[in-house]
């Protein structure tokens, strides 16, 4: 990695796709996010994006997250199709980044990561580290990966974010979602839900059971699953900002340490 501690940006699938309509990208939002990333001009940025309405429906259809069942001969095709759908979404994200002259290079987790019981066990980061030394912006995503015990499974973008943050001692994590941060209840089903500006680790753990599931199909547990994956990063003292990627300049402001509407999560 280059000398600067990395900043890890997660673009949630709920923000960059319409999760209620299969394979439906939000092109205008993706394009604006690429423009904001270019404007922030960070040479220590790692981007991870979610699957949204591209990866989740196919993964759910074939039960990919539960691993390979030999009696189901369609599962291997389903695993391949899920990965392919993610490459399509990744291509849309990459188109926008390249259009805005961000030196981004896609890195497919399926090509360099192996899990064991759904948790990352091996990550061959030889190319990844060389890219970062040259200040390229790696772009990874939730993906199907080979699993030593399950055959294959789904690696969520949120687990990937935390793994990279811990491995490379990230300066901070920014999570772009389709709400203005974290609320005390699901704002999509409870209009009276109140936004939370700051959470400690203890408060985050207490809040987690109250968080809602994602709209549409989601094989990684929605906001509650997202928080579960992020907790180890908070425990390690890496600050996290959760903000609305669907609102103009929120991601730019978070990347450049300006005040932003959302939730800051810190260990204490």
């Amino acid at each position: 990695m280059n000398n600067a501690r990395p900043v890890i940006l997660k673009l949630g699938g709920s923000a960059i796709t319409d999760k209620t309509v299969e394979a439906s990208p939000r092109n205008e939002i993706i394009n604006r996010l690429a423009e904001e990333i270019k404007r922030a001009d960070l040479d220590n940025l790692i981007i991870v994006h979610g699957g949204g309405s591209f990866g989740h429906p196919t993964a759910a259809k074939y039960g990919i997250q539960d691993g390979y069942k030999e009696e189901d001969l369609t599962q291997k095709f389903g695993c391949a199709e899920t990965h392919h759908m993610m490459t399509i979404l990744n291509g849309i994200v990459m188109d926008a980044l390249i259009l805005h002259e961000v030196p981004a290079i896609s890195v497919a987790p399926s090509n360099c990561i192996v899990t064991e019981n759904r948790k990352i066990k091996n990550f061959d980061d030889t190319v990844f580290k060389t890219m970062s030394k040259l200040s390229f912006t790696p772009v990874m995503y939730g993906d199907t990966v080979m699993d030593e015990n399950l055959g294959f499974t789904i690696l969520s973008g949120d687990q990937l974010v935390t793994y990279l943050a811990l491995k490379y001692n990230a300066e901070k994590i920014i999570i772009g979602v389709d709400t203005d941060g974290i609320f005390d209840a699901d704002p999509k089903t409870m209009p009276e839900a109140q936004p939370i500006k700051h959470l400690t680790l203890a408060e985050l753990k207490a809040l987690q059971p109250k968080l809602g599931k994602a709209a549409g199909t989601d094989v990684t547990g929605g906001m509650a699953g997202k928080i579960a994956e992020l907790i180890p990063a908070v425990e390690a003292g890496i600050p996290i900002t959760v903000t609305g990627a669907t609102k103009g300049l929120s991601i730019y402001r978070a990347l450049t340490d300006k005040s932003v509407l959302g939730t800051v999560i810190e260990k204490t």
Side-chain angles (χ1 to χ4, degrees):
M1 307 294 287
N2 60 32
N3 292 330
R5 295 168 63 193
V7 172
I8 301 181
L9 170 62
K10 166 73 187 303
L11 302 177
S14 62
I16 63 173
T17 75
D18 180 349
K19 293 188 77 171
T20 65
V21 181
E22 189 168 346
S24 180
R26 290 175 165 169
N27 290 305
E28 184 177 344
I29 291 174
I30 293 171
N31 186 66
R32 176 182 49 73
L33 289 169
E35 184 177 13
E36 292 184 25
I37 290 166
K38 173 61 177 178
R39 182 177 172 185
D41 194 27
L42 302 183
D43 61 5
N44 60 333
L45 183 65
I46 298 171
I47 299 173
V48 177
H49 69 77
S53 61
F54 282 76
H56 290 280
T58 309
K61 176 181 177 181
Y62 293 99
I64 304 304
Q65 70 276 17
D66 297 324
Y68 179 49
K69 299 175 178 60
E70 292 187 16
E71 66 274 12
D72 187 349
L73 300 180
T74 65
Q75 261 202 316
K76 286 196 291 185
F77 169 75
C79 180
E81 184 182 0
T82 302
H83 167 71
H84 177 62
M85 292 302 293
M86 285 307 304
T87 66
I88 293 173
L89 177 57
N90 180 247
I92 295 170
V93 172
M94 293 301 301
D95 283 347
L97 291 168
I98 296 302
L99 177 66
H100 288 89
E101 299 183 352
V102 177
I105 296 180
S106 177
V107 180
S110 56
N111 291 343
C112 57
I113 292 176
V114 174
T115 58
E116 183 176 37
N117 293 323
R118 303 186 186 90
K119 295 297 182 183
I120 296 173
K121 183 177 181 181
N122 297 309
F123 172 33
D124 183 352
D125 66 346
T126 307
V127 172
F128 189 91
K129 287 191 295 186
T130 304
M131 287 168 51
S132 295
K133 286 179 182 178
L134 295 172
S135 295
F136 283 102
T137 298
V139 182
M140 303 184 81
Y141 48 89
D143 199 3
T144 57
V145 294
M146 299 300 106
D147 187 284
E148 289 192 350
N149 286 343
L150 302 174
F152 50 68
T153 191
I154 296 295
L155 172 62
S156 74
D158 299 303
Q159 183 185 157
L160 188 53
V161 163
T162 292
Y163 179 87
L164 294 172
L166 295 174
K167 184 175 182 64
Y168 299 122
N169 188 27
E171 174 188 337
K172 60 184 177 181
I173 296 170
I174 298 163
I175 308 292
V177 294
D178 63 343
T179 60
D180 293 326
I182 297 174
F183 288 66
D184 60 3
D186 185 357
K188 297 174 184 175
T189 58
M190 300 181 68
E192 68 275 15
Q194 295 297 308
I196 301 172
K197 292 184 177 181
H198 186 272
L199 284 170
T200 64
L201 177 60
E203 291 168 341
L204 182 67
K205 288 181 176 179
L207 177 67
Q208 185 188 354
K210 302 177 184 178
L211 298 174
K213 297 182 178 180
T217 305
D218 191 319
V219 298
T220 56
M223 182 61 81
K226 184 186 304 295
I227 294 305
E229 295 288 7
L230 293 173
I231 282 175
V234 183
E235 291 175 332
I238 299 170
I240 299 174
T241 298
V242 182
T243 188
T246 57
K247 285 195 173 181
L249 295 180
S250 288
I251 294 301
Y252 167 75
R253 293 183 66 85
L255 288 173
T256 54
D257 296 321
K258 295 179 173 62
S259 62
V260 66
L261 189 61
T263 307
V264 175
I265 307 170
E266 297 176 298
K267 189 172 183 178
T268 57

